[in-house]
Amino acid sequence: MADRKPFIAGNWKMYKTGPEAAELAEELKKLVCDVNGVDIMIAPPFTALGTVYEIIKGSNIQLGGQNLFWKTEGAYTGEISPSMLRSAGCSYVIIGHSERRQHFGETDETISKKIRAALDAELKPILCIGESLEERESNQTYSVLDNQLERCLQGLTSDDIHNLTIAYEPVWAIGTGKTATRDQVQGAHSHIRKRLKEKFGILVEKSLRILYGGSVKPENIKGLMSMPDVDGALVGGASLKAESFAGIIRFND
Ligand code: PEP
């Protein structure tokens, strides 16, 4: 029997100064304080982590980083370590977002190191994978996903899988207003689950959560969540307004 609690995560990207982030976190906390059947996470920019943590600590909202570097410490100007995220109050970290692959040269190899480092620091990684439009149109979606999974998760054990979340984010659906159809999402999620079950065993069926990301809004979340292999969403744009993000979190109301 699957025991996968729905999980709704917000990626604030490079939006919100400290005061703006505080306001959004306060509003969100009020709107979702009575929700207990859903895990909720927000990932503000690094500069707002401390402020937001002070607001949400002890609530039903958890904190996440948007990225990390795999070293513990050192002369790595501009980078942030897993233990720094932990001490700022993070329990999750987003790794391998397509915007990082596209603009900052992330590769499956660097992503794999980051996942290992996150797990070693007891941060729960949310690994983002997904195909481009060109890859989808040339019927390569599943082979792209297979390659990303194989390379990004190399060296992990079944125990590690317990703390991992996968976000399936077709690149063509991120920030474009185009949502993948429910069938496209279900197809990709069930493919991912099947592959990971082959690799890591039955735990994947029971507890590995696979989120969908790509223009999720209050209007489309219910349909997406009705699919058997969709366990939640990674939300960009619609997480920047408390009301719309709360509407997504409260998909079951
Ligand atoms: C994202 O940033 O992961 C994302 C899915 O963005 P959006 O919801 O804006 O498409």
Side-chain angles (χ1 to χ4, degrees):
M1 188 47 201
D3 146 39
R4 308 189 307 256
K5 188 174 178 188
F7 181 19
I8 304 289
N11 171 15
W12 292 5
K13 311 194 184 193
M14 199 177 73
Y15 292 100
K16 307 292 175 189
T17 61
E20 290 165 351
E23 195 183 329
L24 177 54
E26 291 279 12
E27 269 182 69
L28 181 68
K29 190 168 83 165
K30 273 188 221 131
L31 293 175
V32 300
C33 61
D34 58 328
V35 173
N36 51 33
V38 178
D39 282 338
I40 306 167
M41 187 278 278
I42 50 179
F46 293 145
T47 46
L49 285 174
T51 312
V52 169
Y53 182 62
E54 286 308 311
I55 294 164
I56 62 173
K57 75 176 171 206
S59 78
N60 58 346
I61 306 174
Q62 309 221 54
L63 194 66
Q66 296 179 18
N67 182 30
L68 51 63
F69 186 48
W70 57 83
K71 296 280 187 179
T72 322
E73 61 179 5
Y76 302 105
T77 303
E79 294 297 327
I80 189 148
S81 75
S83 59
M84 288 170 185
L85 288 183
R86 286 281 296 159
S87 77
C90 292
S91 36
Y92 288 91
V93 60
I94 299 169
I95 295 183
H97 192 282
S98 65
E99 287 154 13
R100 296 221 46 92
R101 295 178 190 251
Q102 192 187 340
H103 303 300
F104 303 101
E106 294 252 349
T107 63
D108 292 335
E109 286 66 37
T110 57
I111 291 165
S112 153
K113 291 187 188 181
K114 290 182 177 196
I115 290 178
R116 182 71 267 155
L119 289 166
D120 289 345
E122 295 183 359
L123 279 166
K124 297 177 196 153
I126 301 175
L127 166 65
C128 302
I129 57 172
E131 80 287 0
S132 65
L133 187 58
E134 206 186 352
E135 289 161 343
R136 175 157 285 272
E137 285 175 346
S138 56
N139 287 324
Q140 293 178 66
T141 298
Y142 292 176
S143 63
V144 168
L145 297 177
D146 286 348
N147 284 334
Q148 289 176 335
L149 288 171
E150 187 59 39
R151 296 192 194 123
C152 296
L153 301 180
Q154 58 160 319
L156 297 198
T157 65
S158 309
D159 282 350
D160 294 325
I161 291 306
H162 198 61
N163 290 314
L164 180 78
T165 299
I166 303 284
Y168 167 60
E169 301 209 304
V171 179
W172 49 273
I174 298 179
T176 58
K178 283 186 205 157
T179 320
T181 66
R182 286 187 220 182
D183 289 341
Q184 285 171 329
V185 175
Q186 170 56 25
H189 283 217
S190 93
H191 179 83
I192 293 166
R193 199 178 304 283
K194 187 170 119 224
R195 277 284 172 273
L196 294 183
K197 194 175 162 192
E198 284 161 11
K199 207 170 154 61
F200 297 106
I202 189 71
L203 205 58
V204 166
E205 195 75 60
K206 266 180 73 89
S207 62
L208 179 87
R209 293 188 290 195
I210 307 177
L211 314 183
Y212 166 72
S215 302
V216 173
K217 306 178 205 72
E219 299 77 48
N220 57 24
I221 185 67
K222 209 174 166 79
L224 290 161
M225 291 302 288
S226 70
M227 306 312 278
D229 282 294
V230 178
D231 304 314
L234 178 56
V235 185
S239 72
L240 294 171
K241 293 226 161 70
E243 234 167 71
S244 56
F245 194 49
I248 294 170
I249 292 164
R250 308 187 75 103
F251 68 93
N252 240 345
D253 283 6

